[in-house]
Amino acid sequence: MSLTLALRSALSGLSVAQVGMDVVSANITNANTPGYTRKTAELATQVVGMQRGGGVQVTQISRKIDEFLSTELRGVQT
């Protein structure tokens, strides 16, 4: 593993950690906000040439909702 690849992997890990902390911070800040749904950062491995690991990346920020409660709420409103 070259030094450049190692540094790039470390930098991607730090960047993903920062995004994760931002998501957690938003979840904590909005915990009592009506209608707010918890969010999570979805992660994936970065592959560089010849199937070598090159770090990690955030693929998306997704909402986590309780489908049962959502269905019940919609049923009550109709």
Side-chain angles (χ1 to χ4, degrees):
M1 175 183 269
S2 71
L3 180 59
T4 303
L5 184 58
L7 290 173
R8 195 170 293 160
S9 293
L11 182 59
S12 73
L14 289 171
S15 297
V16 166
Q18 180 64 51
V19 170
M21 287 189 288
D22 291 343
V23 170
V24 169
S25 174
N27 287 337
I28 292 170
T29 301
N30 293 302
N32 294 324
T33 302
Y36 183 80
T37 56
R38 183 173 61 97
K39 295 177 179 52
T40 58
E42 304 292 329
L43 308 178
T45 304
Q46 287 180 338
V47 178
V48 179
M50 297 185 289
Q51 302 300 320
R52 294 174 60 188
V56 66
Q57 64 184 0
V58 175
T59 56
Q60 67 179 354
I61 306 294
S62 60
R63 295 184 314 154
K64 297 295 181 186
I65 59 172
D66 187 328
E67 292 294 332
F68 176 76
L69 289 177
S70 182
T71 302
E72 289 295 310
L73 272 172
R74 282 193 294 262
V76 170
Q77 294 175 354
T78 57

